[in-house]
Amino acid sequence: MKLTRTTTGWDLSLINENAQDWMLANWDYLTKVDTPLINVDSSTKIEKGQKLKIATGILYLKPADLVAVKTLCPTAQLMGCKKDCLESSGQLGMTTADNAKVKRTIMLLLNPEQFQHELKSEIIKHHKKHGDSLAIRLNGTSDLNFTDIIASMPDVQFYDYTKVYARVIKNKLANYDLTFSGSANNPKSLQMTARAISAGYRTVLAVNTAETKGEYKLPSKLGDIPLINMDDTDVRFKDDSNAVGVLKRKGSNKGQRAVDELQDGFFFNQSNINKLAAMV
């Protein structure tokens, strides 16, 4: 059996061959199993938001071009996060959670109207349960423009991290909070990060340290600018709108971090932190 537009009614050219193979192998799961789109308070960092009385719901998709032909993370190559993404290795559908992300992404791409209907229905359900304490992050592992959905639900608080600087500048939605995710991958991404900070947009820097024995600590200042620890919670919309923060590097080993201290990349090493400080 080969899936085609005729047999499915969908334009399969929107997803890559690996995703099409996954569809064929998981057809019953794709079409019959009820998979939630939004996960509420589903990670340790998100759970930390509960101390601020915030219940966070996140949409997790498969990022970049792991499923999609047209990337779901338009600046991933420029910003250097594609190769360092925690999602970038392995085969599709290796775990239950991964299967859910693949399914969501396929349905978003192939049946966007139905996906949007189900997404909004779930958000309404969570909002009825949690009220104004609910916050929704639609780009848990993607970097898409969801402003149509966000604008249609003005009573719900949404927030995201984004590496698309233009999206930060253009955002005028009162219920959508954006934090720019900086990068030291190349001179252009470094300049963009400096521009965001200098313009007063909240910015986060992922720093090339896990603070293990022998490694340096997260910096507390960028020149004269105080840096907050954004690992404490994920509730960015509670931070000052011009705050600059740092995150420890996740999903790496000490050897990888030692190598990346000597070269440019998405993560800020000590050299690139100093370069950025001189630019702002």
Side-chain angles (χ1 to χ4, degrees), residues 2-19:
K2 180 173 177 59
L3 299 178
T4 66
R5 184 165 188 163
T6 301
T7 59
T8 65
W10 295 321
D11 182 2
L12 300 182
S13 68
L14 298 173
I15 62 175
N16 61 37
E17 290 186 6
N18 285 340

Side-chain angles (χ1 to χ4, degrees), residues 199-216:
Y201 294 112
R202 189 187 311 111
T203 302
V204 61
L205 313 174
V207 181
N208 185 47
T209 182
E211 296 189 319
T212 62
K213 185 176 180 180
E215 290 191 297
Y216 59 92

Side-chain angles (χ1 to χ4, degrees), residues 53-79:
K53 298 183 179 179
I54 298 295
T56 304
I58 302 186
L59 172 64
Y60 291 110
L61 301 170
K62 294 296 289 184
D65 55 4
L66 293 183
V67 165
V69 170
K70 183 179 179 180
T71 181
L72 303 191
C73 304
T75 61
Q77 203 72 41
L78 169 68
M79 304 299 267

Side-chain angles (χ1 to χ4, degrees), residues 143-155:
D143 204 350
L144 293 169
N145 187 345
F146 285 107
T147 52
D148 286 349
I149 293 176
I150 296 167
S152 73
M153 309 183 80
D155 295 332

